Amino acid sequence: MKSDKIKEKFAKVALPKAAELKDFIKENGNHVIGSYTIEQVYSGMKGMVGMVTETSKLDPEEGIRFRGYSIPELRDQLPKATGDSEPLPEGIFYLMLMGELPTEDDVLQVSNIWARRSNVPKFVFDMLDSLPLNLHPMTQFSMAIMALQKESVFAAAYRKGLSKKEYWDPMYEDVMNLIARLPRIAAYIYRRTYKNGVHIEPDAKLDWAANFAHMLGYDDYDMKRLMRLYLTIHVDHEGGNVSAHTTHLVGSALSDAYLSFAAGMNGLAGPLHGLANQEVIRWILDLRNYYDGAVPTKEQIHDYVMKTMDDGKVVPGYGHAVLRKTDPRFIAQMEFAKKYIPDDVNCRIVHMVYEVVPPILSNIKKIKNPWPNVDAHSGALLMHYGMDEYDFYTVLFGVSRALGVLASLLWDRALGHPIERPGSVTSDWMKNQAVKATV
Ligand code: HAX
């Protein structure tokens, strides 16, 4: 087998940490880190610390940091493809895995490893070809990942008999194989669903994101640049979001990377999570239609937002369970739009919506965050470069999200994290607690 410097380095970085962690828990395990309220339990455990994720940490006011680095810092400091100004996603994966910024050579190693492992077995394509063309792309994506589970190195090794200390090794193989194959699978779903099944072979000379754009059918430089940014900023958002938490939870039962990641993708496919990116562009197109296709005024946008809420719907792309300020991932996309496509109509509407919506949502007491999240912008950028099949957008998100949640899953196995099993109570139990607290 070819030597794999990334695997060797990960073992050096991660394995000593497992023993360190055991000692830390032994010495500090009784230290209390917080308390929580009945409301928090009923509101989806918001703000309760209940898990450890090494790859990134979300600050409500500032936004996400990956191993301590913010999005603007990473756009500046991560290695780039020749002539490009946006980072290569291979770099952020390396950072999440090793905890340090990669060199250009490190990024090249990751790129080469993924290119080498990217072959997708024919039965996966055959399975996809048997599905109805109008099956949502996210469902196709999840099914393809599940079919690929047949290839799991972890599942096969576990069946043969595997010591706990060795779990990380076959998990590394699964994580790298799965990430390597996802662009091909996603592109296949796109081309079979929207491009009459005319598929495009991968180009091993291209980096991971550029090759993905190529297989989707977008060979122009601008879409490749957008894809590198897109696939970098969607990777991770600490551990508690639905897709990351689900991947971690399912993985905690020692389900392999395929089973765990497919579960995470089923969560990403929900409209309050990743599907919001397609909902946003649908909402913008509906808004334009409502005003006969013209660019709406701010007053018209205001009225349409009120109508959306009067109809009992959420304004997609706005609000967040943790963030309390504009999402830096939204800002990165807005800067991209203003720099490269300042005249794009949908992007201009997105920017007008950004002026109109926060003051409205700020006036509604129950809404905790009136600001845009990552999904408020991405669709308008993709549409500009010709990808107008918005049902596919969450698949792009999923390909990127794999890098964060699978890096975390690998850390989970290296650190020996146990099966997750939070306590749960009945409402009667809660009521008794409340009574006890008041007497
Ligand atoms: N429009 C209208 N109402 C909203 C709202 C919005 N954008 N955001 C929150 N609210 C409402 C909630 O529906 C909730 O109402 P009820 O009490 O009647 O149920 C109330 O305000 C309190 O919600 P919150 O505490 O501020 O927010 P939550 O943590 O419960 O929910 C959500 C966070 C992101 C799910 C929410 O803001 C939302 O539905 N936003 C629109 C959908 C969206 O953009 N999702 C993508 C989020 C980012 C992400 O994960 N991307 O993948």
Side-chain angles (χ1 to χ4, degrees):
M1 198 173 196
K2 245 185 141 157
S3 102
D4 182 337
K5 289 202 175 125
I6 301 293
K7 186 174 183 181
E8 286 160 23
K9 176 149 189 188
F10 178 75
K12 256 196 209 142
V13 170
L15 300 188
K17 291 260 171 16
E20 230 176 76
L21 188 66
K22 250 193 173 149
D23 290 345
F24 172 77
I25 297 170
K26 208 167 163 190
E27 277 165 36
N28 301 283
N30 290 330
H31 187 71
V32 175
I33 52 167
S35 53
Y36 49 89
T37 62
I38 287 179
E39 189 191 350
Q40 282 178 293
V41 178
Y42 274 106
S43 68
M45 301 188 278
K46 306 241 175 65
M48 287 164 49
V49 176
M51 61 193 292
V52 178
T53 305
E54 309 292 346
T55 47
S56 66
K57 173 82 188 89
L58 182 55
D59 179 273
E61 301 294 321
E62 189 205 33
I64 189 72
R65 277 186 182 264
F66 303 88
R67 298 284 193 175
Y69 293 93
S70 68
I71 292 221
E73 286 165 355
L74 289 179
R75 282 181 84 192
D76 188 39
Q77 293 178 40
L78 281 177
K80 301 173 176 66
T82 312
D84 195 357
S85 50
E86 297 301 339
L88 288 162
E90 288 91 330
I92 197 164
F93 176 75
Y94 183 96
L95 171 67
M96 290 186 292
L97 211 57
M98 309 298 187
E100 64 181 37
L101 285 175
T103 62
E104 296 206 351
D105 186 54
D106 294 327
V107 159
L108 194 65
Q109 300 259 4
V110 175
S111 225
N112 288 341
I113 288 172
W114 288 348
R116 256 198 335 260
R117 294 169 180 246
S118 62
N119 185 49
V120 176
K122 185 174 170 296
F123 72 85
V124 177
F125 296 138
D126 291 344
M127 187 280 296
L128 284 170
D129 284 336
S130 73
L131 299 175
L133 287 173
N134 60 358
L135 184 63
H136 193 280
M138 273 306 275
T139 313
Q140 297 188 44
F141 190 51
S142 172
M143 291 175 76
I145 297 160
M146 287 298 290
L148 256 189
Q149 194 266 344
K150 179 180 169 295
E151 304 281 294
S152 171
V153 179
F154 182 90
Y158 194 86
R159 202 183 163 107
K160 268 197 197 148
L162 190 62
S163 149
K164 284 182 180 179
K165 287 213 166 61
E166 295 167 35
Y167 286 169
W168 75 273
D169 187 310
M171 184 56 90
Y172 174 89
E173 302 300 327
D174 277 1
V175 161
M176 295 306 248
N177 288 341
L178 179 50
I179 293 175
R181 290 158 164 178
L182 287 175
R184 186 81 209 276
I185 289 172
Y188 195 91
I189 293 168
Y190 180 71
R191 302 286 308 179
R192 79 175 286 269
T193 307
Y194 304 113
K195 305 292 174 190
N196 298 321
V198 179
H199 297 289
I200 300 170
E201 287 298 307
D203 179 347
K205 292 189 298 301
L206 295 171
D207 56 87
W208 187 72
N211 189 34
F212 186 24
H214 160 73
M215 289 186 287
L216 288 165
Y218 299 88
D219 266 313
D220 49 309
Y221 182 82
D222 293 348
M223 183 63 155
K224 287 181 178 146
R225 176 169 53 202
L226 173 64
M227 204 50 78
R228 291 184 187 117
L229 174 68
Y230 187 104
L231 296 177
T232 297
I233 63 176
H234 285 78
V235 289
D236 210 27
H237 220 219
E238 74 171 33
N241 67 77
V242 172
S243 51
H245 187 190
T246 308
T247 306
H248 165 79
L249 168 67
V250 175
S252 84
L254 292 189
S255 303
D256 59 58
Y258 299 88
L259 299 172
S260 307
F261 181 62
M265 288 302 94
N266 293 341
L268 192 74
L272 296 188
H273 191 18
L275 203 81
N277 61 7
Q278 79 169 49
E279 294 302 295
V280 167
I281 202 70
R282 252 158 44 89
W283 185 86
I284 293 208
L285 297 177
D286 288 349
L287 159 75
R288 291 186 67 178
N289 270 343
Y290 193 71
Y291 295 113
D292 298 325
V295 175
T297 63
K298 285 189 193 164
E299 288 69 31
Q300 287 173 324
I301 295 174
H302 177 282
D303 293 348
Y304 196 75
V305 170
M306 299 312 287
K307 176 179 151 26
T308 301
M309 288 194 295
D310 287 346
D311 290 345
K313 299 176 188 162
V314 294
V315 181
Y318 281 77
H320 200 272
V322 180
L323 277 169
R324 294 296 175 255
K325 285 275 163 64
T326 298
D327 191 332
R329 301 171 300 175
F330 174 87
I331 292 173
Q333 295 176 81
M334 185 165 72
E335 284 172 1
F336 185 100
K338 287 187 173 170
K339 184 168 173 189
Y340 297 115
I341 46 172
D343 298 326
D344 180 82
V345 173
N346 287 322
C347 288
R348 272 175 39 219
I349 295 174
V350 167
H351 304 161
M352 286 164 78
V353 172
Y354 181 33
E355 290 178 45
V356 172
V357 169
I360 300 176
L361 298 190
S362 297
N363 277 329
I364 301 173
K365 210 165 158 247
K366 68 176 184 179
I367 299 182
K368 296 190 193 68
N369 178 36
W371 302 104
N373 57 56
V374 67
D375 297 316
H377 208 314
S378 50
L381 291 172
L382 292 164
M383 279 208 112
H384 178 87
Y385 294 111
M387 184 183 274
D388 53 11
E389 302 91 353
Y390 48 72
D391 275 7
F392 186 74
Y393 291 172
T394 312
V395 177
L396 296 177
F397 192 156
V399 171
S400 173
R401 185 49 56 106
L403 275 52
V405 301
L406 292 175
S408 276
L409 195 64
L410 183 52
W411 269 98
D412 290 348
R413 293 295 77 80
L415 294 177
H417 283 322
I419 189 162
E420 190 176 301
R421 205 325 184 168
S424 88
V425 296
T426 62
S427 282
D428 283 343
W429 187 93
M430 276 296 195
K431 283 173 194 158
N432 283 337
Q433 290 300 111
V435 170
K436 274 191 211 158
T438 50
V439 287

